[in-house]
Amino acid sequence: MTTATASAPPFGRALCAMITPFTEAGSLDLDGAQRLADRLVAEGCDGLVLSGTTGESPTTTDTEKSELVRAVREAVGDRASIVAGVGTFDTRHTVELALAAEKAGADGLLVVSPYYSKPPQDAVEAHFREVADAAGLPLALYDIPGRTGTRIEPETLIRLAEHPRIVAVKDCSYDFLAAQKVMSRTELAYYAGCDEHNLALCAVGGAGYISTVANVVPAQLRAVLDAFEAGDTPVSARLQQRATPLIELMMAAGLPGAVTAKALLNALGLPAGPVRAPLRPAGREAVEGLLAAYEELTAG
């Protein structure tokens, strides 16, 4: 895992931003995590991103993050890559989490831009370089300014691409022009972080996706990529369009993706459990709507 190429993205193409299962009492459910991870890989995911936004990383402890990596590694073996979310607003803490994830068995690191404090671009760049210098694993940089308050500007990404361990971007910038600019000038592998962009980003040179919706429909989302890679653009477009109602309900209906993903998984009898405060579970009406969209997508 050194540099990204069009034929061999560094962490695979179809990645799931996996939820973190909890028991009803609220503790980490490692058995549930292993069962869910095994299902996701069996149904088309070739990578799992742990302890990201969907994985409720702000409310899990450092110990829980490492335990989760070890448990999922045991469950999936070498069938899928494991990318550990280690980003925080504290560079020192992020480095500590990066080293712990490497020791626990991760294949790569997802590092979000420092949030809340809104550092300038030179400080953002220095943050990522310090983590990349300290860790022995390849990094995917997570650009999600809507949550962090600070985007990773294209010129910053272009400079960071020179670092041998910075190999990918999870793109939630909603700026297609900027993404294409960076892809045209670097070898960074671009992963769609917004499910509505899964096909569109691939069409302009993206590597694949890191998907929240894949927690519940991994095979259906993988089919979009498979059809596109086979050269059947009309089929891939129809498959993406067919998934749109569920994507909208899970990602753009006012509830966080961790809430909607867990609501559906729980309703389907799959490992998930509750969300941790300050998140709150989805209400009955929301769950019913999610189930209806899920059943429509998976019928036939």
Side-chain angles (χ1 to χ4, degrees):
M1 293 184 187
T2 52
T3 59
T5 67
S7 60
F11 309 116
R13 295 187 182 278
L15 279 70
C16 177
M18 198 177 100
I19 60 106
T20 300
F22 299 129
T23 68
E24 288 306 313
S27 60
L28 187 62
D29 180 5
L30 293 177
D31 177 69
Q34 289 184 318
R35 288 186 285 118
L36 179 61
D38 183 69
R39 171 184 177 269
L40 292 171
V41 173
E43 295 193 14
C45 294
D46 44 33
L48 301 173
V49 176
L50 308 179
S51 297
T53 308
T54 305
E56 298 178 76
S57 59
T59 57
T60 58
T61 68
D62 293 4
T63 298
E64 287 175 327
K65 289 176 172 66
S66 291
E67 289 176 344
L68 185 63
V69 171
R70 284 192 289 269
V72 172
R73 176 91 283 162
E74 181 181 336
V76 305
D78 60 1
R79 293 180 294 147
S81 64
I82 294 177
V83 180
V86 298
T88 75
F89 50 32
D90 176 353
T91 304
R92 180 176 57 182
H93 188 198
T94 302
V95 168
E96 291 172 354
L97 288 174
L99 296 175
E102 182 177 5
K103 184 177 180 180
D107 298 304
L109 306 171
L110 179 68
V111 188
V112 73
S113 55
Y115 42 90
Y116 186 75
S117 53
K118 292 189 174 182
Q121 287 298 299
D122 61 341
V124 171
E125 182 176 345
H127 172 84
F128 287 129
R129 287 188 182 277
E130 186 167 340
V131 178
D133 287 341
L137 296 177
L139 272 63
L141 308 185
Y142 188 7
D143 189 17
I144 183 167
R147 286 183 180 267
T148 65
T150 304
R151 74 170 301 178
I152 313 172
E153 296 290 349
E155 293 300 328
T156 304
L157 284 167
I158 290 166
R159 290 192 300 271
L160 286 167
E162 299 170 0
H163 196 291
R165 282 195 288 276
I166 295 176
V167 301
V169 176
K170 179 181 178 182
D171 182 40
C172 290
S173 69
Y174 284 94
D175 188 342
F176 257 55
L177 180 59
Q180 291 174 75
K181 177 180 178 179
V182 176
M183 284 190 285
S184 72
R185 293 177 57 185
T186 74
E187 291 187 328
L188 290 172
Y190 256 69
Y191 290 93
C194 308
D195 280 275
E196 64 269 32
H197 292 171
N198 288 354
L199 177 58
L201 192 64
C202 281
V204 295
Y209 56 71
I210 298 175
S211 165
T212 292
V213 178
N215 278 282
V216 292
V217 287
Q220 287 76 9
L221 296 188
R222 179 60 187 251
V224 175
L225 285 190
D226 289 346
F228 181 77
E229 291 172 13
D232 201 335
T233 304
V235 168
S236 65
R238 286 196 297 272
L239 292 172
Q240 177 73 32
Q241 291 162 6
R242 190 177 180 200
T244 297
L246 180 61
I247 290 170
E248 183 176 17
L249 283 179
M250 288 188 67
M251 305 305 296
L255 292 174
V259 172
T260 56
K262 281 194 165 183
L264 255 180
L265 289 168
N266 283 324
L268 296 169
L270 296 167
V275 290
R276 282 183 175 171
L279 296 181
R280 296 174 63 86
R284 179 178 176 181
E285 184 177 347
V287 174
E288 290 175 350
L290 288 164
L291 270 173
Y294 170 84
E295 289 167 358
E296 182 176 357
L297 176 57
T298 57

